[in-house]
Amino acid sequence: MKAELRSLPRTLADLVAQHLVASGRVLDDDPELAYQHARVARRLASRLGGVREAVAITAYLAEHYDEALTEFRAVRRMTGNHEVIAMMADCERALGRPDKALALTKDKHVNELSEPTQIELLIVAAGARRDMGQTAAAIQTLEVPELTKRTRAEWLPRLRYAYADALAEAGRTDEALVWFHRAAGVDGDGLTGAAERAAELEGLEFTDLDEDDTVLDDEYFEEEDEVEEDDDLTDEADLDDAEADADDETADEADESVDEADEAADEADEAEDEADEAEDAAEDEAGDDLDEDGVDEFEDVKDSTGDERGKPEDTEE
């Protein structure tokens, strides 16, 4: 594909490549969108075989079988790639032309095809036989050595499933059940649905465990959420109680502080009163001493003065 893109101008090649890359990325999830991207690439570079093959495959997966068949024919003509024969035959079946599908299975290039493509062509041929009401011929078409081959090839589950399905249509239920189980045994991803078909034939109801698990998980998580909500409410109540206790303790501490302050004030008042009393006592005591001493001295002075005034001066005769 890169070699083909080099034949285009650089800008055009980049644009075509972008659409092809986008087509490949969304092919599994959105075949229709992948098909639209491939169509844009074809409009820009219709002469490139790789582009036409991309359109053919995306159209086939998006179930645009008529256009897919046209594009597959163009791919064979332009590139000489015959590996698309199996998909061409399947398109013919989808368009209601099983006879043309069988004709393609007899193409001269069939022997040149790879083993996976030959197996796919056998499955398509058996399907075309069944479309024509030839169920026995369909069974015979699928009775090939590859049915019992020990391999992990992707085509093995599909081959065994097609054989089991044809047996079931022919009314050979027991044999069909065996081959559905064999198909399921090599279908690790469960793409064919062989296990479900086996359960159906056995009269068992196949339960989708994923949905049940989802329901159980939802119920479990709902119960868990309720428990968590109860725990949260309990925690909130405990937190409220703790806050209330803390507030009470704070109030008690505040009351104690006030009491202590009052006691300190009382003690200060008492100390002041005691100081005043001591000061008064000191003043009283000092006054008493002053009176007693003052009186004695006054008396002494008075006596001495009186004596001097009352005593006559000596005169000389």
Side-chain angles (χ1 to χ4, degrees):
M1 189 64 213
K2 290 182 179 180
E4 291 182 339
L5 289 174
R6 291 193 187 98
S7 65
L8 301 174
R10 179 62 180 273
T11 304
L12 181 59
D14 290 343
L15 186 58
V16 172
Q18 289 174 8
H19 281 287
L20 292 177
V21 170
S23 178
R25 285 178 177 176
V26 300
L27 184 59
D28 293 335
D29 299 326
D30 192 346
E32 182 63 31
L33 180 58
Y35 167 64
Q36 296 301 330
H37 277 293
R39 287 187 65 187
V40 174
R42 181 183 63 185
R43 188 172 69 247
L44 297 172
S46 60
R47 296 184 178 181
L48 299 185
V51 172
R52 301 297 289 271
E53 185 174 0
V55 177
I57 293 174
T58 55
Y60 173 74
L61 294 176
E63 300 182 0
H64 300 293
Y65 298 112
D66 197 2
E67 185 172 2
L69 185 59
T70 300
E71 293 300 316
F72 280 132
R73 287 172 179 164
V75 171
R76 287 189 72 185
R77 184 178 66 254
M78 295 172 68
T79 66
N81 179 13
H82 303 293
E83 293 292 324
V84 298
I85 290 178
M87 287 183 283
M88 291 176 63
D90 202 29
C91 286
E92 294 286 7
R93 272 195 67 204
L95 294 170
R97 301 193 291 254
D99 53 337
K100 291 187 177 182
L102 287 174
L104 282 170
T105 65
K106 298 175 182 178
D107 189 277
K108 62 180 181 179
H109 297 287
V110 169
N111 293 331
E112 302 172 8
L113 302 177
S114 63
E115 183 180 46
T117 302
Q118 289 187 7
I119 296 299
E120 291 297 329
L121 198 56
L122 280 177
I123 295 173
V124 173
R129 292 291 184 184
R130 292 174 61 182
D131 292 341
M132 300 170 68
Q134 302 173 4
T135 306
I139 294 173
Q140 186 176 2
T141 299
L142 295 172
E143 288 178 338
V144 292
E146 286 78 6
L147 269 176
T148 57
K149 191 172 183 178
R150 297 175 63 86
T151 179
R152 294 183 179 180
E154 294 181 359
W155 49 260
L156 185 58
R158 298 188 70 252
L159 177 62
R160 290 182 176 180
Y161 182 91
Y163 184 61
D165 197 32
L167 290 171
E169 183 176 337
R172 296 161 61 176
T173 306
D174 292 339
E175 295 176 77
L177 184 59
V178 171
W179 283 100
F180 276 130
H181 279 298
R182 289 182 177 179
V186 293
D187 187 11
D189 296 329
L191 299 178
T192 62
E196 291 87 335
R197 290 295 304 278
E200 182 182 346
L201 289 178
E202 292 173 338
L204 301 176
E205 183 178 353
F206 196 89
T207 304
D208 191 344
L209 297 179
D210 292 337
E211 293 182 0
D212 292 343
D213 289 344
T214 301
V215 173
L216 290 174
D217 289 342
D218 291 340
E219 293 176 354
Y220 170 76
F221 285 118
E222 286 176 1
E223 292 177 358
E224 190 177 51
D225 291 339
E226 291 177 358
V227 172
E228 289 180 354
E229 288 178 0
D230 293 339
D231 291 340
D232 291 339
L233 292 174
T234 302
D235 292 340
E236 290 178 0
D238 292 340
L239 182 59
D240 292 338
D241 292 340
E243 291 178 352
D245 293 340
D247 292 339
D248 292 340
E249 290 178 0
T250 303
D252 292 339
E253 290 177 358
D255 292 339
E256 290 178 0
S257 298
V258 172
D259 293 339
E260 290 176 358
D262 292 340
E263 291 178 1
D266 292 340
E267 291 177 358
D269 292 338
E270 290 178 0
E272 186 176 356
D273 292 340
E274 291 177 358
D276 292 339
E277 291 176 0
E279 185 178 356
D280 293 340
E283 290 178 356
D284 292 341
E285 184 178 355
D288 292 341
D289 293 339
L290 179 60
D291 291 343
E292 292 176 359
D293 295 339
V295 170
D296 292 343
E297 291 177 359
F298 179 76
E299 292 295 333
D300 293 339
V301 171
K302 183 179 179 182
D303 291 342
S304 61
T305 304
D307 291 341
E308 291 178 357
R309 287 180 180 178
K311 182 178 180 181
E313 294 180 1
D314 293 334
T315 59
E316 293 180 0
E317 296 180 353

